[in-house]
Amino acid sequence: MGVPGPFPGSPGRPDAPVPDREEVDRALERLGAEYEAIETSLLALQDHAGRRLLEGAELSGTTKERWAAAERSITVLWSLFDAYTAALESARELRERRRWPSAEDLAELMELLHGEGVTVPGAAAADGAPEDGPADERFSLEGLVERMNGLYARSLDVIVAADAVWSALPARIDLLSAELQRTRSLAHSVGVRPGEHPAGDDLERITEELLRLRERVIADPLAFWVSSSTGSSAPGGGRPDTGRYDRAARALEDIRREVAAVLDVRQDAERRLMQLRDVLSRADRTLTEARQARGEVLAKIAASEVPAVSGPSTALHEQLAAAADYRRRAQWHRLSPLLDSLEERAEDELHRARESLTAVTAPLAVRAELRGRLDAYRAKVARHGMAQDPLLTERYDLARRMLWSAPCDLRAAEQAVWRYQQAAAEALVPQQPEGRGES
């Protein structure tokens, strides 16, 4: 809907010249074009799908209030349009009386076209005027068009905004609800149910949230409309507020990932259980070996502190049995976190068992290292032809008896090996000939 431009010779100015026939005809032509544009806009407003939805909906909240005001505006719009039509028809009839209108006819025509002689009953109702106040207003045709433009824009804004929300959100909510039902069915198949798993409770909350959201969107779409931040006054300037929908969609996606993880557990449960049994079995065997090694160390090594070796972890074996029971009962949602915990703790148990074995066999490793060092020096002495040296032989025999006797005193044996090394090192140093260095 547009606003007509200024017309030449408008009355109300003292120096306004009397218009001629051509000016009046041009003015009538412009007003006729304006009339057709207004009529087309009003009929489009009347037939707008959003308007029909608003008329048939049980509205509440902001939408109910704004639609009630918009309906009053639309009623006044038609009253203004009827007055505009009647005034334009009167002007046309006056113009058609004579082919060559007189000066009086032209003056009367200009008064009809530009004077504020159009009275519209109830025009103030669209602006919320009190019922007991003056309801009639007087307009010029230009003023009528300006008022109709304002009422039309406000009414169309309500209709377009509500229609945009209804076009965007309910369909998306329905699609998300259908996806939620598929997720719920899949979740139930793997034991993710309300009261048994947090994700099952979350599914119930999302279901209720989507039901409430859809009801609110249908009843009060304008509560989900965000006006344009650019300050545009064009009808429908803004966008639907999808914040609540987006949060529900993200929450459902999180649940879908969790259910997918549970499904992965169901598919890989047997493989992971076998791996767990293998890791715990290796840990148990290592601990058994450590206990046997500790007995050997205590029998063969004297004066040495050997740490105690604990038995297999009863708690881990009980939890492994519980995991196998969850698998038999298809309680995948319980099995998933238990397997994650068990896999980490089983690796820790195997690491602990290996550390125990290393700790208890450390004295045997020390003895083996001393034996190797003694034999290495013995071979070195033999290569230099000194194997029969009495001192070296005595010290070698002493160290060897200590290292190959049981129980072995590691501290005394280490000292004996060290004394043999010292004697061997001294024997291998080349002797200087007598008199060397004299002048």
Side-chain angles (χ1 to χ4, degrees):
M1 296 176 72
V3 179
F7 296 99
S10 297
R13 292 180 296 175
D15 57 347
V18 177
D20 58 20
R21 179 174 59 85
E22 287 78 8
E23 290 175 328
V24 170
D25 289 343
R26 286 195 297 271
L28 282 172
E29 184 178 355
R30 286 197 300 271
L31 289 170
E34 189 70 35
Y35 168 84
E36 293 179 359
I38 294 171
E39 183 181 40
T40 300
S41 297
L42 286 176
L43 291 174
L45 183 68
Q46 193 73 12
D47 293 335
H48 198 289
R51 181 181 187 275
R52 292 196 296 271
L53 289 173
L54 284 165
E55 287 180 332
E58 295 184 5
L59 302 175
S60 65
T62 302
T63 307
K64 183 177 181 179
E65 296 175 3
R66 291 188 61 187
W67 175 236
E71 284 189 306
R72 291 193 298 270
S73 296
I74 292 172
T75 300
V76 173
L77 256 176
W78 282 104
S79 298
L80 295 174
F81 181 69
D82 291 342
Y84 182 87
T85 302
L88 183 60
E89 287 298 323
S90 297
R92 283 173 172 171
E93 289 175 2
L94 178 58
R95 173 65 186 87
E96 290 171 358
R97 289 177 187 173
R98 298 182 183 89
R99 182 177 180 184
W100 303 100
S102 63
E104 291 78 6
D105 291 338
L106 291 174
E108 185 178 356
L109 277 168
M110 293 308 292
E111 179 62 25
L112 283 173
L113 296 177
H114 298 290
E116 294 185 353
V118 182
T119 302
V120 181
D127 296 324
E131 294 182 1
D132 56 352
D136 297 347
E137 288 191 55
R138 296 179 63 83
F139 298 92
S140 65
L141 288 180
E142 182 177 347
L144 273 175
V145 171
E146 188 173 334
R147 173 62 69 85
M148 284 190 287
N149 279 339
L151 294 177
Y152 174 83
R154 292 205 302 269
S155 303
L156 184 61
D157 184 65
V158 172
I159 293 171
V160 170
D163 187 53
V165 172
W166 279 335
S167 298
L169 275 174
R172 295 172 71 180
I173 293 171
D174 290 342
L175 288 173
L176 189 61
S177 297
E179 180 62 31
L180 186 144
Q181 292 304 319
R182 288 191 290 270
T183 303
R184 182 206 295 271
S185 177
L186 187 60
H188 282 199
S189 71
V190 294
V192 178
R193 300 182 179 89
E196 299 181 11
H197 192 280
D201 298 330
D202 291 340
L203 280 172
E204 290 301 304
R205 283 194 290 271
I206 296 173
T207 301
E208 295 172 1
E209 166 64 5
L210 290 181
L211 288 173
R212 290 193 299 268
L213 179 60
R214 195 180 195 286
E215 290 175 359
R216 180 81 188 281
V217 167
I218 295 300
D220 191 9
L222 295 185
F224 298 87
W225 183 253
V226 180
S227 298
S228 174
S229 59
T230 61
S232 173
S233 60
R239 60 175 178 80
D241 180 5
T242 61
R244 284 178 62 180
Y245 167 85
D246 294 337
R247 287 191 293 273
R250 287 193 296 269
L252 179 58
E253 181 60 28
D254 291 341
I255 294 174
R256 288 178 59 189
R257 285 195 291 267
E258 186 164 351
V259 171
V262 174
L263 281 172
D264 291 340
V265 170
R266 182 173 68 175
Q267 293 170 356
D268 295 341
E270 184 58 31
R271 177 186 59 80
R272 294 176 69 182
L273 282 171
M274 290 180 63
Q275 288 179 344
L276 275 170
R277 293 190 186 99
D278 178 63
V279 171
L280 287 180
S281 177
R282 281 188 285 153
D284 292 346
R285 289 196 303 270
T286 304
L287 287 174
T288 300
E289 185 179 351
R291 285 193 297 273
Q292 293 173 348
R294 185 173 188 272
E296 181 181 353
V297 170
L298 291 175
K300 294 182 177 180
I301 306 297
S304 178
E305 295 181 359
V306 184
V309 179
S310 63
S313 173
T314 304
L316 284 179
H317 284 277
E318 289 176 351
Q319 290 178 348
L320 181 60
D325 185 58
Y326 287 155
R327 181 185 177 280
R328 284 193 299 272
R329 297 183 181 184
Q331 294 180 332
W332 310 111
H333 63 291
R334 297 181 185 276
L335 180 59
S336 176
L338 181 56
L339 285 178
D340 292 339
S341 173
L342 274 174
E343 285 170 342
E344 181 177 355
R345 295 177 61 193
E347 289 295 335
D348 291 342
E349 178 70 5
L350 178 58
H351 180 69
R352 182 181 69 86
R354 288 171 173 167
E355 286 184 336
S356 294
L357 179 61
T358 300
V360 298
T361 56
L364 294 177
V366 172
R367 189 184 66 173
E369 190 272 334
L370 290 174
R371 287 177 172 178
R373 197 193 313 171
L374 181 65
D375 289 342
Y377 271 91
R378 174 69 171 174
K380 186 175 182 180
V381 167
R383 285 198 302 273
H384 286 80
M386 303 178 67
Q388 303 303 319
D389 182 276
L391 178 62
L392 291 177
T393 301
E394 177 186 353
R395 292 190 176 182
Y396 172 79
D397 290 340
L398 176 62
R400 192 177 190 286
R401 282 197 304 272
M402 288 183 177
L403 286 173
W404 267 267
S405 62
C408 172
D409 187 338
L410 280 181
R411 293 186 180 89
E414 186 175 11
Q415 289 296 321
V417 172
W418 179 80
R419 286 195 297 270
Y420 177 72
Q421 288 180 230
Q422 289 295 104
E426 292 172 359
L428 294 175
V429 174
Q431 297 294 324
Q432 293 184 356
E434 293 182 4
R436 183 178 177 180
E438 296 180 359
S439 56

